[in-house]
Amino acid sequence: MTALTNLLDLDPAQLVAYCGELGEKPFRAKQLQRWIHQFGASDFDAMTDLAKSLREKLKARATIAAPAVISDHISSDGTRKWLLDVGQGNAVETVFIPEENRGTLCVSTQAGCAVNCRFCSTGKQGFSRNLTVGEIIGQLWMAEFELRRSKGIEPGPKGERQITNVVMMGMGEPLLNFEPTVTALRLMLDDNAYGLSRRRVTVSTSGVVPMIDKLSQDCPVALAVSLHASNDPLRDGLVPLNKKYPLKDLMAACRRYLEFAPRDFITFEYCMLDGVNDTDTHARELVALVQNGAESVPCKFNLIPFNPFPESGLVRSNNVRIKAFAQVLIDAGIVTTIRKTRGDDIDAACGQLAGEVQDRTRVQERMQKMAEYQQKFGKNFGRIVEVPR
Ligand code: SAH
Ligand code: SF4
């Protein structure tokens, strides 16, 4: 028997091609896409405006399946974190951060990460594998419809959208899993799927220069660059990728990106590490880096207080230091924010996403448990997405 096609893996053009293979007209793909991405449907029988014959064909050949949810935690500040099973003992996390006027979903693009930044617990885990399109977009699909379900909001375009912004700041380096990331981005932007504005979708990268250029051509969205250092020797030690793509090249790539970007600035993320990169001298060096005549980069800074994890050997800068550092940038006319840490009580903060995953024996145990439950209660146990009726 041939494997079922997971329709979450297909972008709009691929879905049209798939429908073509089934002998169906392109408008069927649009209908199907709306059922999947606007109504959160996973049951072909629920797609009542599709001909019964098409539904039967789909039931025989296709599926709509996001990664199964292993756990689901809600923090006292409303931040919600899901741990998702991506097979073979690998798990990734998705975090929803509600704010007054928006809801942001932080998605993962890889299980583990090969870049191995010194301050990042995902990097410490090593690289397991790239996520598929279905596993990336499946995070948005699962989260949007689960959030609606928990609030009693109807699916479909009429129901109030819960996720207004997406940031690719979960586990993994999105630009090292380029094609699946871009396909997932296209679905996020598509009007027959999530219809998010390019300005509200952000790719965060540690600085994969050629892929920054490729993103500017293939699917320009807002760009965040994880800078973390004001000079090459310091950045070489914190973000090993810097040895391959040093600051001068990275800054040039940022300038090129802005010619195509939906925003007129790059967001630089800067993790505040006590005694490592947080002095006023570092801040002044940063100003000189980004305000450098013809080589300047229009930018905003987002200072992230380091989230410690046991074996890092690093310490978070204190608040007074972070504020003083920010002031140097602000005095130079650079818009600078200090990231609030959210979801601390559920380990949902930046760079802590791997917390639970690292302990693979625990993940294995949980999966064992889930398999037992599934045997008892049916295969949909562990998937919090129900079949809409
Ligand atoms: N790989 C991409 C996106 C995922 S990391 C990147 O590096 O940009 C998302 C953000 O969290 C990055 O800015 C990263 O540098 C930051 N981060 C990682 N570990 C952290 C930690 N322990 N404390 C604070 N920020 C961290
Ligand atoms: Fe990978 Fe980003 Fe972590 Fe660096 S900070 S190891 S690029 S996930």
Side-chain angles (χ1 to χ4, degrees), residues 116-134:
N116 197 16
C117 300
R118 240 201 92 193
F119 48 83
C120 175
S121 64
T122 304
K124 290 285 153 300
Q125 234 193 118
F127 175 69
S128 295
R129 71 168 175 87
N130 285 323
L131 298 193
T132 61
V133 176

Side-chain angles (χ1 to χ4, degrees), residues 216-227:
S216 76
Q217 301 306 306
D218 291 6
C219 194
V221 290
L223 187 70
V225 171
S226 297
L227 202 54

Side-chain angles (χ1 to χ4, degrees), residues 37 137 140-141 144-145 161 187-188 190 192-196:
H37 295 291
I137 201 70
L140 177 55
W141 183 80
E144 174 66 34
F145 298 108
R161 185 183 287 172
L187 277 165
M188 290 174 194
D190 194 278
N192 288 304
Y194 301 90
L196 295 175

Side-chain angles (χ1 to χ4, degrees), residues 365-378 381:
E365 263 169 39
R366 262 196 301 266
M367 291 193 182
Q368 175 76 36
K369 194 107 226 121
M370 202 169 70
E372 280 168 24
Y373 282 133
Q374 283 180 339
Q375 249 182 358
K376 255 195 203 156
F377 303 110
F381 188 90

